């Protein structure tokens, strides 16, 4: 059985009020006291925090582009990716029917729970702590944003590069997982037809390792041109 302390290690924040954490990870199928209201609060906080971060990071970016990039960063898909990095599905409290139909893997359920956690952190510790945690969670995504590449991540850019040349898509393989459960490092290789050997990279999640490997491949392809 997963414990609150285990989740605290993954998200970098340990709730003092376990009832608040319980609410944040409770789906409406489990109880009438669930995370819907607190998720509403977290959604608004997330949008504000990411908007502020983008405003400061990209002083020359126009309003429409800022809105587009923010929408990408706070999308259900991105939040579900974060939830997967936290192994959040294993902590969710779901009703029997929802659990049996794979609710712990459903993107919308995972995304809502991330927003609920944000709302919970804000309620318990205030805006400054909440902002610090959100920015820590999104750090790798904010750092890799590149205005010159239309804010597409490395995997997307590599895929489009290969597709434009009618070449097979990259082959990502998990080579190794190192470290303790709560502090793992993933080693991933990326092979493409234009390079003689696969490129490997490390990351704190498989997704981050794949992104790092794709970035290295793009640099290698650029150098070979």
């Amino acid at each position: 059985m997963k414990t609150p302390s285990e989740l605290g290690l993954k998200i970098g924040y340990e709730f003092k009020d376990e009832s608040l954490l319980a609410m944040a990870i409770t789906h409406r199928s489990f109880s009438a006291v669930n995370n819907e209201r607190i998720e509403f609060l977290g959604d608004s906080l997330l949008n504000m925090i990411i908007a502020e971060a983008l405003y400061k990071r990209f002083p020359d970016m126009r309003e429409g582009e800022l809105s587009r990039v923010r929408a990408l960063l706070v999308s259900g898909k991105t939040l579900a990716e974060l939830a997967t990095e936290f192994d959040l599905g294993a902590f969710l409290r779901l009703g029997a029917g929802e659990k049996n139909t794979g609710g712990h893997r459903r993107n919308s359920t995972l995304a809502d729970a991330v927003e609920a956690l944000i709302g919970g952190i804000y309620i318990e510790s205030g805006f400054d702590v909440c902002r610090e945690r959100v920015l820590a969670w999104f750090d790798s995504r904010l750092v890799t944003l590149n205005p010159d590449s239309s804010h597409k991540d490395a995997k997307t850019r590599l895929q489009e590069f290969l597709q434009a040349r009618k070449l097979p898509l990259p082959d990502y393989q998990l080579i190794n997982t190192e470290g303790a459960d709560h502090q793992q490092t993933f080693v991933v290789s990326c092979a493409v037809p234009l390079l003689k050997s696969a490129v490997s990279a490390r990351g704190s999640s498989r997704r981050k390792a794949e992104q790092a490997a794709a970035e290295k491949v793009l640099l290698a392809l650029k150098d070979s041109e």
Side-chain angles (χ1 to χ4, degrees):
M1 180 71 179
K2 296 286 187 177
T3 66
S5 293
E6 288 178 277
L7 180 56
L9 285 170
K10 291 179 180 294
I11 67 174
Y13 179 89
E14 189 151 0
F15 280 87
K16 300 174 187 68
D17 183 350
E18 291 194 5
S19 66
L20 188 58
L21 171 60
M23 183 190 299
I25 59 175
T26 299
H27 188 261
R28 64 181 178 274
S29 63
F30 185 90
S31 170
V33 180
N34 54 61
N35 64 10
E36 287 186 325
R37 280 172 50 81
I38 199 170
E39 174 260 322
F40 164 80
L41 178 61
D43 173 65
S44 298
L45 287 161
L46 174 63
N47 273 277
M48 191 275 162
I49 292 167
I50 295 300
E52 180 189 46
L54 293 173
Y55 180 83
K56 290 179 176 179
R57 185 176 291 271
F58 300 108
D60 298 323
M61 190 179 288
R62 298 175 68 86
E63 184 267 343
E65 188 68 0
L66 286 168
S67 295
R68 191 186 72 79
V69 177
R70 181 185 61 181
L72 175 67
L73 285 171
V74 305
S75 67
K77 179 178 180 293
T78 301
L79 293 180
E81 289 174 357
L82 268 178
T84 301
E85 291 169 16
F86 299 151
D87 193 24
L88 186 54
F91 296 89
L92 295 181
R93 303 203 302 173
L94 306 169
E98 187 70 14
K99 187 182 297 184
N100 291 338
T101 57
H104 62 288
R105 294 188 300 271
R106 189 166 292 119
N107 280 1
S108 59
T109 301
L110 292 170
D112 288 349
V114 170
E115 291 177 336
L117 287 172
I118 293 169
I121 293 171
Y122 169 76
I123 289 170
E124 183 171 88
S125 296
F127 182 73
D128 287 344
V129 173
C130 179
R131 176 169 53 190
E132 183 275 328
R133 275 297 83 207
V134 169
L135 292 179
W137 296 351
F138 280 84
D139 181 64
S140 65
R141 292 167 171 84
L142 287 166
V143 167
T144 56
L145 278 176
N146 183 352
D148 297 328
S149 63
S150 301
H151 309 291
K152 293 175 182 176
D153 63 33
K155 287 181 67 176
T156 301
R157 285 185 282 127
L158 178 56
Q159 179 176 316
E160 291 180 350
F161 178 92
L162 295 171
Q163 286 177 328
R165 290 157 179 79
K166 301 189 185 304
L167 293 170
L169 295 180
D171 179 24
Y172 297 96
Q173 297 291 334
L174 179 63
I175 300 174
N176 196 18
T177 305
E178 305 164 350
D181 287 347
H182 66 279
Q183 208 168 14
Q184 288 185 324
T185 298
F186 296 80
V187 184
V188 167
S189 69
C190 177
V192 298
L194 295 175
L195 296 180
K196 292 180 180 178
S197 57
V199 171
S200 63
R202 285 174 162 76
S204 57
S205 68
R206 182 166 181 170
R207 176 195 171 278
K208 291 179 182 178
E210 289 179 350
Q211 291 288 357
E215 193 68 59
K216 289 175 73 172
V217 168
L218 285 166
L219 288 173
L221 292 172
K222 184 178 179 180
D223 289 342
S224 66
E225 288 181 343

